[in-house]
Amino acid sequence: MEFDTIEVGIEGRLGTLSLNRPDKLNPLSTRTLREIEAAARWFDAHSDLCVVVVSGRGRSFSAGADISVFAAGGDGDDPRDDADAGWRMARAVEEMRAVTVARIQGWCVGGGLVLAAACDLRVATDTARFSIPEVELGIPLAWGGIPRLVREIGPALTKELVMTCREFSPDEAASAGFLNRVVAEENLDATVEELVATLSRMPKMALLATKAHTNAVSETMVSTGRSWSDADGLIGALHDPECRDAAAAYLERVLARRRS
Ligand code: COA
């Protein structure tokens, strides 16, 4: 299966999905979101598959939504459909039959963190850096990010991290329940491989039933389905003058940091 911004592969019971724009820290453009959604459906067509590792090439997992597209005011001619692409991507990943393991290094920001949250298990390096800057960028956290975070780390910490936009460490993410393992950079691949090997050895039917059952219970506890309206929050923010000013100031700060 060929894509422009991601790479996918299958070998026996193991699949891989790699975000593949390392020079830009694997931003999630609308095209990338649609490619991930299509890849999730493609993986589902392979009934032998047990585990899919989701990773980002280069020095970071993902720097989140593609801000070059954001700065340009969108990249398609159907704004509602474009704004919905992140929610559909996260749902497609979460609903995959195979167990997904996010392999996280470097930056894991905003929408990148939502992608990781849509995976079943998460392994990160102790040097990974997490942040959710959406509110500073003048948009609400969308793509079903709020219910997924509430589910994993609870409402109070979700509110704090999303409202303050402060960076948080792998250790904090692990103790809050967001990460399954935090390891030294040099041990990341070995740890993911060991986890994948353990999962792949399990009887497939029982393994995948456990994922489906846990997802069904989680969905009853904290539904991500209601986030169908996240796209409307994004579109609303794009029309709010204070949010527009915040976005312009944020983008200027990112550029200024890069220039300095
Ligand atoms: N969308 C598009 N391109 C991005 C990006 C994003 N979200 N994040 C980084 N990039 C690009 C940069 O433009 C730069 O490209 P260039 O070398 O062609 O100029 C490249 O990735 C490296 O980024 P840089 O800022 O130099 O890396 P850094 O290690 O100094 O900083 C971040 C990393 C993540 C702190 C910084 O890139 C950043 O703040 N990015 C924006 C994050 C964001 O707001 N995401 C949206 C969340 S909703």
Side-chain angles (χ1 to χ4, degrees), residues 23-25 27 59 63-68 107 109 133-134 137 250 254 257-258:
D23 51 327
K24 299 286 182 190
L25 310 186
R59 66 180 165 100
D66 192 324
I67 52 172
S68 64
W107 286 100
V109 178
E134 268 78 351
L137 183 53
Y250 177 91
V254 170
R257 240 194 348 253
R258 203 165 295 145

Side-chain angles (χ1 to χ4, degrees), residues 3-8 17-28 32 35-36 55-58 60-61:
F3 293 105
D4 284 340
T5 66
I6 65 173
E7 266 183 19
V8 294
L17 187 162
S18 308
L19 306 176
N20 194 22
R21 288 178 66 204
D23 51 327
K24 299 286 182 190
L25 310 186
N26 302 315
L28 300 171
T32 303
E35 289 191 348
I36 298 170
S55 64
R57 291 220 197 286
S60 284
F61 178 73

